[in-house]
Tab-separated table of all heavy atoms in Angstrom:
chain	number	residue	atom	x	y	z
A	136	THR	N	39.166	1.229	119.055
A	136	THR	CA	40.552	0.760	119.158
A	136	THR	C	41.543	1.909	118.925
A	136	THR	O	41.150	2.996	118.508
A	136	THR	CB	40.809	-0.401	118.172
A	136	THR	OG1	42.036	-1.035	118.559
A	136	THR	CG2	40.922	0.058	116.730
A	137	ILE	N	42.800	1.600	119.192
A	137	ILE	CA	43.855	2.582	118.938
A	137	ILE	C	44.344	2.392	117.499
A	137	ILE	O	44.686	1.273	117.106
A	137	ILE	CB	45.022	2.397	119.939
A	137	ILE	CG1	44.544	2.694	121.363
A	137	ILE	CG2	46.208	3.279	119.558
A	137	ILE	CD1	45.582	2.423	122.454
A	138	VAL	N	44.357	3.483	116.760
A	138	VAL	CA	44.876	3.414	115.387
A	138	VAL	C	46.397	3.483	115.443
A	138	VAL	O	47.105	2.700	114.819
A	138	VAL	CB	44.354	4.603	114.536
A	138	VAL	CG1	44.898	4.535	113.126
A	138	VAL	CG2	42.846	4.648	114.544
A	139	ASN	N	46.901	4.440	116.238
A	139	ASN	CA	48.338	4.669	116.227
A	139	ASN	C	48.763	5.377	117.517
A	139	ASN	O	48.028	6.227	118.016
A	139	ASN	CB	48.687	5.551	115.007
A	139	ASN	CG	50.136	5.418	114.605
A	139	ASN	OD1	51.019	5.683	115.397
A	139	ASN	ND2	50.370	4.976	113.380
A	140	ASN	N	49.891	4.974	118.079
A	140	ASN	CA	50.402	5.685	119.266
A	140	ASN	C	51.846	6.148	119.066
A	140	ASN	O	52.601	6.275	120.017
A	140	ASN	CB	50.273	4.832	120.540
A	140	ASN	CG	51.232	3.658	120.561
A	140	ASN	OD1	51.660	3.176	119.515
A	140	ASN	ND2	51.581	3.182	121.753
A	141	GLU	N	52.186	6.408	117.797
A	141	GLU	CA	53.526	6.914	117.496
A	141	GLU	C	53.378	8.295	116.856
A	141	GLU	O	52.838	8.429	115.753
A	141	GLU	CB	54.245	5.933	116.566
A	141	GLU	CG	55.521	6.454	115.939
A	141	GLU	CD	56.502	7.021	116.973
A	141	GLU	OE1	56.797	6.336	117.970
A	141	GLU	OE2	56.940	8.173	116.779
A	142	SER	N	53.881	9.314	117.547
A	142	SER	CA	53.637	10.686	117.084
A	142	SER	C	54.209	10.957	115.692
A	142	SER	O	53.651	11.741	114.932
A	142	SER	CB	54.193	11.697	118.085
A	142	SER	OG	55.583	11.533	118.229
A	143	ALA	N	55.321	10.308	115.353
A	143	ALA	CA	55.891	10.529	114.014
A	143	ALA	C	54.894	10.064	112.955
A	143	ALA	O	54.708	10.732	111.925
A	143	ALA	CB	57.217	9.784	113.872
A	144	ASP	N	54.231	8.930	113.208
A	144	ASP	CA	53.204	8.452	112.267
A	144	ASP	C	51.992	9.376	112.286
A	144	ASP	O	51.418	9.690	111.246
A	144	ASP	CB	52.686	7.057	112.674
A	144	ASP	CG	53.722	5.958	112.540
A	144	ASP	OD1	54.783	6.203	111.945
A	144	ASP	OD2	53.452	4.844	113.035
A	145	ILE	N	51.592	9.773	113.500
A	145	ILE	CA	50.376	10.602	113.595
A	145	ILE	C	50.570	11.921	112.838
A	145	ILE	O	49.657	12.399	112.163
A	145	ILE	CB	49.957	10.820	115.072
A	145	ILE	CG1	49.641	9.459	115.738
A	145	ILE	CG2	48.739	11.741	115.172
A	145	ILE	CD1	49.352	9.503	117.229
A	146	LEU	N	51.793	12.457	112.875
A	146	LEU	CA	52.079	13.675	112.089
A	146	LEU	C	51.790	13.435	110.608
A	146	LEU	O	51.186	14.262	109.929
A	146	LEU	CB	53.552	14.055	112.224
A	146	LEU	CG	53.979	14.976	113.352
A	146	LEU	CD1	55.457	15.308	113.220
A	146	LEU	CD2	53.181	16.262	113.321
A	147	ARG	N	52.231	12.291	110.109
A	147	ARG	CA	52.009	11.974	108.676
A	147	ARG	C	50.528	11.732	108.403
A	147	ARG	O	50.013	12.093	107.349
A	147	ARG	CB	52.797	10.724	108.264
A	147	ARG	CG	54.251	10.768	108.640
A	147	ARG	CD	55.132	11.237	107.482
A	147	ARG	NE	56.377	11.782	108.009
A	147	ARG	CZ	57.521	11.108	108.083
A	147	ARG	NH1	57.590	9.885	107.629
A	147	ARG	NH2	58.600	11.683	108.595
A	148	ILE	N	49.861	11.083	109.368
A	148	ILE	CA	48.421	10.815	109.201
A	148	ILE	C	47.675	12.150	109.078
A	148	ILE	O	46.837	12.337	108.193
A	148	ILE	CB	47.891	9.988	110.402
A	148	ILE	CG1	48.468	8.565	110.373
A	148	ILE	CG2	46.366	9.954	110.420
A	148	ILE	CD1	48.166	7.721	111.605
A	149	LEU	N	48.010	13.085	109.952
A	149	LEU	CA	47.327	14.383	109.925
A	149	LEU	C	47.676	15.145	108.654
A	149	LEU	O	46.838	15.826	108.062
A	149	LEU	CB	47.706	15.216	111.156
A	149	LEU	CG	47.358	14.593	112.516
A	149	LEU	CD1	47.824	15.498	113.651
A	149	LEU	CD2	45.858	14.347	112.646
A	150	ASP	N	48.920	15.002	108.229
A	150	ASP	CA	49.372	15.747	107.052
A	150	ASP	C	48.743	15.223	105.764
A	150	ASP	O	48.393	16.008	104.889
A	150	ASP	CB	50.908	15.643	106.953
A	150	ASP	CG	51.483	16.634	105.958
A	150	ASP	OD1	50.841	17.668	105.721
A	150	ASP	OD2	52.577	16.372	105.419
A	151	ARG	N	48.607	13.902	105.664
A	151	ARG	CA	48.201	13.310	104.374
A	151	ARG	C	46.856	12.594	104.391
A	151	ARG	O	46.079	12.686	103.449
A	151	ARG	CB	49.244	12.264	103.943
A	151	ARG	CG	50.594	12.836	103.624
A	151	ARG	CD	50.570	13.421	102.234
A	151	ARG	NE	51.681	14.349	102.069
A	151	ARG	CZ	52.352	14.509	100.951
A	151	ARG	NH1	52.033	13.816	99.888
A	151	ARG	NH2	53.338	15.380	100.873
Side-chain angles (χ1 to χ4, degrees):
T136 195
I137 295 175
V138 180
N139 202 301
N140 70 335
E141 168 52 51
S142 61
D144 293 349
I145 299 174
L146 271 185
R147 309 263 157 98
I148 291 172
L149 300 178
D150 193 26
R151 294 280 161 144

